[in-house]
């Protein structure tokens, strides 16, 4: 089987490439000429993946890549993925995420109409959630609170519409927060882990900068999430949407406490106003019943293991 992973240089893309390679897939990936290749260096060096220069915002570029690799499956991960950037660059976020996906769907429709296409949504689509609505199923109303959330609603519904209108084999997922080694340093788990690793090594003063510690998020390990993506694409129902989550809503404060325990550090905690959002999603706690029931996925890595691995990852790098 041949799989094309857009955004293979990113956090999830690199883990998904490893998982598909372990299942004997031929793996192709999209890269931009300026893309950092750190996450996939090891795969590039041993020749196990093939890369195509592609900007998803350019329909010509996307069509050429799809034509060159003729994939059986497309995992469309490439996106502007950082929620705060969606306030400073909303037009860019909507353009990359919605127009970019339109280019993927159009290229698939013309070149590989039988391919299975994974549309990557997000729990940010749910946005404003009331505590009595938790755990949220896929039927939860979509009330996005950021331009990023709106862009993911756009991707999600565009995928649904292409299934309805053209019969494309689209499978949609809404992953809740996921983390683990290689997590980008701006996201909360890596931001805290990296700061603590720098303090541990004496590079920084014992002060950690934080944003909103009251929000609750539902975390899974990225290595479990990529297995869910593979299973959803291969065993999921065409046109359907699946939540991917642990079912546990954790206050961000509790993940900070866990990292402090893992690192054994005593540090001063400083609120950084620049880390606060115009409207943060306050609670995300999902139900993974549908994906468990229909494709047999369940998470296997504990949050404690994930956070230890992430902290170790940063200790080796700072
Ligand atoms: O920044 P780059 O050149 O390394 O590529 C990033 C890619 N990307 C693009 N690729 C082609 N054309 C574009 N215009 C374009 N813009 C961004 O998307 C990188 O390979 C990937 C994003 O990686 P991360 O920021 O690490 O995101 P992560 O956590 O892997 O998220 C994967 C998916 C996204 O759709 C998120 O919205 C969703 O999971 O949560
Ligand atoms: N980034 C960051 N940095 N977030 C902080 C910080 C900090 O210093 N302090 C507290 N937070 C809070 C944020 O306000 C938010 O409530 C929570 O930690 C998680 O923030 P992020 O790690 O930036 O992730 P996210 O939830 O906004 O988005 C991630 O998960 C989505 C799935 O729900 C991204 O990976 C998205 O691409 C993904 O779709």
């Amino acid at each position: 089987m041949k799989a094309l992973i857009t955004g293979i240089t990113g956090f999830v893309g690199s883990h998904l490439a490893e998982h598909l390679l372990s299942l004997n897939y031929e793996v192709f990936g999209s890269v931009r000429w300026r893309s950092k290749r750190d996450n996939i260096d090891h795969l590039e060096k041993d020749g196990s993946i093939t890369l195509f220069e592609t900007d998803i915002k350019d329909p010509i570029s996307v069509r050429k890549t799809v034509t060159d690799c003729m994939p059986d499956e497309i995992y469309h991960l490439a996106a502007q993925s950082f929620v705060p950037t969606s306030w400073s660059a909303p037009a860019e976020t909507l353009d990359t995420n919605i127009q970019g996906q339109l280019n993927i769907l159009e290229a698939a429709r013309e070149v590989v109409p039988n391919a299975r296409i994974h549309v990557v949504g997000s729990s940010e689509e749910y946005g404003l959630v009331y505590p009595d609505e938790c755990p949220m199923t896929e039927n939860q109303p979509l009330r996005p609170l950021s331009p990023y959330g709106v862009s993911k609603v756009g991707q999600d519904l565009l995928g649904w519409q292409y299934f309805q209108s053209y019969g494309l084999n689209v499978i949609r997922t809404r992953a809740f927060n996921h983390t683990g080694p290689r997590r980008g340093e701006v996201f909360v788990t890596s931001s805290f882990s990296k700061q603590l690793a720098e303090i541990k090594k004496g590079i920084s003063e014992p002060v950690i900068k934080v944003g909103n510690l009251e929000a609750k998020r539902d975390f899974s390990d990225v290595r479990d999430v990529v297995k869910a993506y593979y299973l959803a694409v291969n065993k999921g129902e065409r046109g359907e949407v699946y939540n991917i989550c642990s079912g546990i809503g954790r206050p961000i404060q509790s993940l900070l406490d866990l990292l402090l325990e893992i690192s054994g550090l005593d540090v001063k905690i400083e609120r950084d106003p620049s880390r606060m959002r115009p409207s943060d999603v306050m609670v995300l706690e999902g139900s993974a019943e549908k994906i468990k029931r229909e494709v047999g996925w369940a998470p296997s890595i504990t949050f404690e293991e994930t956070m230890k691995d992430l902290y170790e990852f940063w200790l080796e790098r700072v």
Side-chain angles (χ1 to χ4, degrees), residues 81 83 122-123 148 177 183 186 188 211-212 217 275 277 280:
S81 67
V83 174
S122 163
S123 56
Y148 171 81
N177 292 61
R183 185 50 158 150
V186 290
V188 69
N212 178 10
R217 289 291 188 276
R275 291 171 186 247
R277 303 173 180 191
D280 202 2

Side-chain angles (χ1 to χ4, degrees), residues 11 80-84 120-125 148 152 174-178 183 185-192 195 209-219 252 255 272 275-277 280-282 284:
F11 163 58
Q80 191 303 91
S81 67
F82 190 44
V83 174
V120 178
S122 163
S123 56
E124 275 288 308
E125 292 177 54
Y148 171 81
K152 286 285 159 181
R174 294 180 192 145
F176 287 58
N177 292 61
H178 37 294
R183 185 50 158 150
E185 65 184 87
V186 290
F187 299 92
V188 69
T189 48
S190 268
S191 168
F192 291 0
Q195 291 183 71
K209 294 202 168 169
V210 301
N212 178 10
L213 298 181
E214 281 80 50
K216 272 189 178 178
R217 289 291 188 276
D218 177 332
F219 287 93
I252 300 301
L255 93 83
D272 174 358
R275 291 171 186 247
M276 301 301 284
R277 303 173 180 191
D280 202 2
V281 172
M282 286 310 291
L284 287 175

Side-chain angles (χ1 to χ4, degrees), residues 282-298:
M282 286 310 291
V283 55
L284 287 175
E285 190 179 298
S287 162
E289 285 314 307
K290 184 174 173 184
I291 193 164
K292 284 184 183 167
R293 194 176 60 243
E294 293 190 16
V295 317
W297 175 80

